[in-house]
Amino acid sequence: RWFTHFYVVSVLWNGFLLIWLFRAEFLRGSLPLWIQQVHHALGRDPQSEDTGNEHCSALLVLLLLWLHSCRRLAECLWTSVFSNGVIHIVQYCFGLGYYIAVGLTVLCQVPTNVRNGKELSVHICWYHTVGVMIYIWASLHQHRCLVILANLRKSKSGEVVSLSHSVPSGDWFERVSCPHYFAELLIYVSMAITLGFHNVTWWCVVMYVLFNQALAAVLCHEFYQKNFSSYPKHRKAFIPFF
């Protein structure tokens, strides 16, 4: 349940970054000096030119990241039913740092001088549309899967009756043990697509999410197999059919 803290931090922090970037892009403002210093520390050239639609892409991805955090926070508060499991302090601190760093990762894709006083010319490209569609599709399925997990611990009236684990079924659970982890990966892939495929930095973030979620999914899959003798043998741990 302390994962809720991650999304509180993410909503506040990435919302703050989104506002600053929006002001810089549309109101001809400038990014704060400390953000420019972060850019410099990350090796971003303050005078680099806008290649393609990186301004629009970064703004859109930061918006998607913020919306994702808002939804996950709402699910933690009003949908999910958490067990009494605990989180290691190292993992907790790392999680807080991750959600701060991931927003800066998006922001560092934009030149620090932003528009140099010029108006932002918004160009919606095909990869923006594809990325947003995959994002919506994956987000809907992730929400459905989290509702299924929560309902395993609730009565028909919605009252929590148990904190024990049960075998979920329905939606993507018919194919994999942890479809909500798979959906998380798809959400980050959708953001990579929205950035135009070529952003190596964000693909590194995707690789981190892949290994992190895959490890968690394998552990959950083994737990199900060990504790439920009738657990469906055709289900994979993380990615359907693999």
Side-chain angles (χ1 to χ4, degrees):
R1 60 172 60 89
W2 277 29
F3 271 60
T4 304
H5 300 177
F6 299 160
Y7 300 116
V8 170
V9 169
S10 183
V11 168
L12 295 176
W13 173 250
N14 292 313
F16 167 75
L17 295 181
L18 181 62
I19 291 172
W20 273 108
L21 185 57
F22 182 88
R23 290 179 67 254
E25 297 287 7
F26 291 99
L27 303 179
R28 302 187 186 184
S30 60
L31 295 175
L33 179 60
W34 66 268
I35 292 182
Q36 297 183 36
Q37 292 173 340
V38 170
H39 275 66
H40 179 71
L42 295 174
R44 184 69 180 187
D45 181 4
Q47 299 302 322
S48 57
E49 296 295 329
D50 183 3
T51 57
N53 296 286
E54 64 180 3
H55 286 269
C56 295
S57 298
L59 187 62
L60 183 56
V61 168
L62 196 55
L63 174 61
L64 295 179
L65 181 63
W66 181 74
L67 290 174
H68 175 61
S69 300
C70 289
R71 178 180 62 82
R72 291 294 295 117
L73 176 59
E75 289 166 344
C76 285
L77 294 175
W78 297 298
T79 301
S80 298
V81 180
F82 297 103
S83 67
N84 293 320
V86 296
I87 184 174
H88 195 281
I89 185 63
V90 174
Q91 184 184 7
Y92 178 75
C93 293
F94 182 84
L96 293 176
Y98 169 79
Y99 282 100
I100 292 175
V102 74
L104 291 174
T105 301
V106 178
L107 200 61
C108 77
Q109 307 310 305
V110 182
T112 54
N113 56 16
V114 192
R115 304 305 301 178
N116 280 327
K118 299 178 182 178
E119 293 185 2
L120 175 64
S121 179
V122 179
H123 297 287
I124 302 300
C125 299
W126 65 270
Y127 52 80
H128 293 152
T129 303
V130 172
V132 171
M133 290 179 65
I134 294 176
Y135 171 89
I136 294 174
W137 176 63
S139 297
L140 287 173
H141 278 284
Q142 187 178 56
H143 177 72
R144 289 174 184 171
C145 292
L146 291 172
V147 169
I148 289 173
L149 286 175
N151 286 340
L152 292 175
R153 295 175 172 177
K154 296 179 181 179
S155 64
K156 292 183 178 180
S157 62
E159 181 181 357
V160 177
V161 294
S162 173
L163 295 181
S164 62
H165 294 278
S166 303
V167 178
S169 60
D171 205 77
W172 287 358
F173 279 109
E174 299 304 318
R175 293 295 180 183
V176 293
S177 296
C178 301
H180 47 306
Y181 294 157
F182 178 57
E184 185 81 3
L185 174 63
L186 289 180
I187 287 170
Y188 278 84
V189 169
S190 73
M191 295 180 191
I193 294 173
T194 305
L195 285 170
F197 289 95
H198 62 274
N199 194 297
V200 177
T201 305
W202 193 259
W203 281 112
C204 290
V205 175
V206 171
M207 292 303 296
Y208 163 76
V209 173
L210 168 62
F211 290 117
N212 178 272
Q213 300 296 292
L215 175 60
V218 168
L219 293 175
C220 288
H221 185 66
E222 292 176 348
F223 173 86
Y224 282 130
Q225 291 179 322
K226 180 181 179 180
N227 290 276
F228 301 97
S229 58
S230 61
Y231 192 73
K233 298 184 180 301
H234 68 275
R235 290 190 190 180
K236 304 301 180 180
F238 182 48
I239 300 178
F241 309 110
F242 287 95

